[in-house]
Amino acid sequence: MAKISYVDGLYLHYKDSKIHIEDRGYHFGDAVYEVVMFNEGIFFDYNEHIKRLLRSLKSLNITLPISCKSLKIIIKNVIKKNKVVFGSVYIQVSRGVAQRNHSYKNLTLKPIIIISVTEKNNNYLNNFIGVSAITLNDNRWARPDIKTTQLLPNILAKTIADEKGAYEAIFIDQYDYITEGSSSNIWIVNYDNELITRNLDGQILSGITRNAVKNCAVQNNIKLLERKFSKDELLTAKEVFLTSATSFVTPIVKIDNSSINNGLIGELSCSLRELYLKAMKTSN
Ligand code: PMP
């Protein structure tokens, strides 16, 4: 079936879905985005994703050109037009189209919204495997807390991981602490059964899945610490997993040349994945 997207006010077939060559998202990565999963009409943490979209827009002085109510109607329309039951919706808002100029002062711009839908195989709701990861120096800009489309360091890192047969690249800051994955937040469980993930210190994205998993941990009396942890703690952890909207909770069983938990999926990773997916069944 032909795919339909939404581009700046119009529902279009993919082949006709085009943006202007002077869109600032295209020129400069002057755009923000969100990815929201959905299953049988239920969105996974929709409101939290939209709140973060608004925060990202605000950080870059971009105003959403339509109401949140209209945005939701459009998103539902795109899903319906594509007849997708289980998948992800991609929302991107760029600052708009203007003659190429670094500064946007004095430019009259209309932000451009694009929305597309990707169908996913829902096998992976139940069937999941432990994945491997590599570590790399974090060479991103100083505002990784804003979800911009300017993702060069992330895509280069993910490609290096891919070339090495790994699923994710984990960024390490200049002090040897883990920041996050190229497209995920990273968690460890230590031998005191403490669940640890980096605190929101501006050096990581405030993952929506991270927050939902945090809530699952708190509700189930799992000891949670939000603090920096070192590469050494990562490599010697009892369990390691990553979280993201599209990967949910995914166990990491090998990092660089070190096996984690003898290459087996850890117990806590497994239960948090279950708790997370259960919470998402009714989230919206
Ligand atoms: N960090 C980065 C750099 C990401 O790209 C993502 C995925 N968008 C995440 C963390 C996880 O965020 P979320 O749980 O909201 O998908």
Coordinates of all heavy atoms in Angstrom, one line a residue, residues 33-35 49 52 140 144 147 151 154 180-185 204-210 243-246, ligand 1:
Y33 N 12.3 16.9 16.8 CA 11.5 15.7 16.4 C 11.1 14.9 17.6 O 11.7 15.0 18.7 CB 12.2 14.8 15.4 CG 13.3 14.0 16.0 CD1 13.2 12.6 16.2 CD2 14.5 14.5 16.4 CE1 14.2 11.8 16.7 CE2 15.5 13.8 16.9 CZ 15.4 12.4 17.1 OH 16.3 11.6 17.7
E34 N 10.1 14.0 17.4 CA 9.7 13.0 18.4 C 9.4 11.7 17.7 O 8.9 11.8 16.5 CB 8.5 13.5 19.1 CG 8.7 14.5 20.3 CD 9.6 13.9 21.4 OE1 9.5 12.7 21.7 OE2 10.3 14.7 22.0
V35 N 9.5 10.6 18.3 CA 9.0 9.3 17.8 C 8.1 8.7 18.9 O 8.6 8.6 20.1 CB 10.2 8.4 17.6 CG1 9.8 7.0 17.1 CG2 11.2 9.0 16.6
H49 N 5.6 12.7 25.3 CA 6.4 13.0 24.1 C 6.1 14.4 23.6 O 6.9 15.1 23.2 CB 6.1 12.0 23.0 CG 6.8 10.7 23.2 ND1 8.2 10.5 22.9 CD2 6.5 9.5 23.7 CE1 8.6 9.3 23.1 NE2 7.6 8.6 23.7
R52 N 7.7 17.0 25.7 CA 9.1 17.2 25.4 C 9.3 17.9 24.0 O 10.2 18.7 23.9 CB 9.8 15.8 25.3 CG 11.3 15.9 25.1 CD 12.1 14.6 25.2 NE 11.7 13.7 24.2 CZ 12.0 12.4 24.1 NH1 12.8 11.9 25.0 NH2 11.6 11.6 23.2
R140 N 29.4 14.9 21.1 CA 28.3 15.7 20.7 C 28.3 17.2 21.2 O 29.2 17.5 22.0 CB 27.0 15.0 21.2 CG 26.8 13.7 20.6 CD 25.6 13.0 21.3 NE 25.8 12.8 22.7 CZ 24.8 12.6 23.6 NH1 23.6 12.5 23.1 NH2 25.0 12.5 24.8
P144 N 22.7 18.1 24.4 CA 22.1 16.8 24.0 C 20.7 16.6 24.6 O 20.0 15.7 24.3 CB 23.0 15.7 24.4 CG 23.8 16.3 25.5 CD 23.9 17.8 25.2
K147 N 16.0 17.6 21.7 CA 15.8 16.6 20.7 C 15.8 17.2 19.3 O 14.8 17.3 18.7 CB 14.6 15.8 21.0 CG 14.6 14.4 20.4 CD 13.5 13.5 21.0 CE 13.3 12.3 20.2 NZ 14.4 11.4 20.1
L151 N 22.0 15.3 14.2 CA 22.4 14.0 14.9 C 23.7 13.4 14.3 O 23.8 12.2 14.4 CB 21.2 13.0 14.8 CG 20.0 13.3 15.6 CD1 18.8 12.4 15.2 CD2 20.3 13.2 17.1
N154 N 25.7 11.1 16.5 CA 24.9 9.9 16.8 C 24.9 9.0 15.7 O 25.1 7.8 15.9 CB 23.5 10.3 17.2 CG 23.4 11.4 18.3 OD1 24.0 12.5 18.1 ND2 22.8 11.1 19.3
E180 N 25.0 8.5 27.5 CA 23.8 7.7 27.1 C 24.2 7.0 25.8 O 25.4 7.1 25.3 CB 22.6 8.6 26.9 CG 22.9 9.7 25.8 CD 21.7 10.7 25.7 OE1 20.6 10.3 25.9 OE2 22.0 11.8 25.3
G181 N 23.3 6.3 25.2 CA 23.5 5.6 23.9 C 23.3 6.6 22.8 O 22.8 7.7 23.0
S182 N 23.7 6.2 21.6 CA 23.5 7.1 20.4 C 22.0 7.4 20.2 O 21.6 8.4 19.6 CB 24.1 6.5 19.2 OG 23.4 5.4 18.7
S183 N 21.1 6.5 20.6 CA 19.7 6.7 20.5 C 18.9 6.0 21.6 O 17.8 5.5 21.4 CB 19.1 6.2 19.1 OG 19.3 4.9 19.0
S184 N 19.5 6.1 22.8 CA 18.9 5.4 23.9 C 19.5 5.9 25.3 O 20.6 6.5 25.2 CB 19.1 3.9 23.9 OG 20.5 3.6 23.9
N185 N 18.8 5.6 26.4 CA 19.4 5.9 27.7 C 19.9 4.5 28.2 O 19.4 3.5 27.9 CB 18.3 6.4 28.7 CG 17.9 7.8 28.3 OD1 16.8 8.1 27.9 ND2 18.8 8.8 28.4
I204 N 22.4 14.4 28.9 CA 21.6 13.3 28.2 C 20.2 13.9 27.9 O 19.8 14.9 28.4 CB 21.5 12.1 29.1 CG1 20.7 12.4 30.4 CG2 22.8 11.5 29.5 CD1 20.3 11.2 31.2
L205 N 19.6 13.1 27.0 CA 18.2 13.4 26.7 C 17.3 12.8 27.8 O 17.6 11.8 28.3 CB 17.8 12.7 25.3 CG 16.4 13.0 24.8 CD1 16.4 14.5 24.2 CD2 16.0 12.1 23.7
S206 N 16.3 13.6 28.2 CA 15.4 13.1 29.2 C 14.4 12.1 28.5 O 13.4 12.5 27.9 CB 14.6 14.3 29.8 OG 13.6 13.8 30.6
G207 N 14.9 10.8 28.4 CA 14.1 9.8 27.7 C 12.7 9.6 28.3 O 12.6 9.6 29.5
I208 N 11.7 9.5 27.4 CA 10.4 9.3 27.9 C 10.3 7.9 28.4 O 9.6 7.6 29.4 CB 9.3 9.6 26.8 CG1 9.5 11.0 26.2 CG2 7.9 9.3 27.2 CD1 9.4 12.1 27.2
T209 N 11.0 6.9 27.8 CA 11.0 5.6 28.3 C 11.7 5.5 29.6 O 11.3 4.7 30.5 CB 11.6 4.6 27.2 OG1 11.2 5.1 25.9 CG2 11.3 3.2 27.4
R210 N 12.8 6.2 29.7 CA 13.6 6.3 30.9 C 12.7 6.7 32.1 O 12.7 6.0 33.1 CB 14.7 7.3 30.8 CG 15.5 7.6 32.0 CD 16.5 8.8 31.8 NE 17.2 9.2 32.9 CZ 16.8 9.8 34.0 NH1 15.5 10.3 34.0 NH2 17.5 10.1 35.0
T243 N 17.1 1.9 27.2 CA 15.7 2.2 27.0 C 15.5 3.2 25.9 O 16.3 4.2 25.8 CB 15.0 2.8 28.3 OG1 15.8 3.9 28.7 CG2 14.9 1.7 29.4
S244 N 14.5 3.0 25.1 CA 14.1 4.1 24.1 C 12.7 3.7 23.7 O 12.2 2.6 23.9 CB 15.0 4.1 22.9 OG 14.7 3.0 22.0
A245 N 12.0 4.7 23.1 CA 10.6 4.5 22.7 C 10.5 3.3 21.7 O 9.5 2.5 21.8 CB 10.1 5.7 22.0
T246 N 11.4 3.1 20.8 CA 11.3 2.0 19.9 C 11.9 0.7 20.3 O 11.6 -0.4 19.8 CB 11.9 2.4 18.5 OG1 13.2 2.9 18.7 CG2 11.1 3.5 17.8
Ligands
PMP1 N1 18.9 9.4 24.1 C1 19.0 9.7 22.8 C2 20.2 10.4 22.3 C3 18.0 9.3 21.9 O1 18.1 9.6 20.6 C4 16.9 8.6 22.4 C5 15.8 8.2 21.5 N2 15.1 9.2 21.0 C6 16.8 8.4 23.8 C7 17.9 8.8 24.6 C8 15.6 7.7 24.4 O2 14.5 8.6 24.5 P1 13.0 8.0 24.4 O3 12.9 7.0 25.5 O4 12.2 9.2 24.6 O5 12.8 7.4 23.1

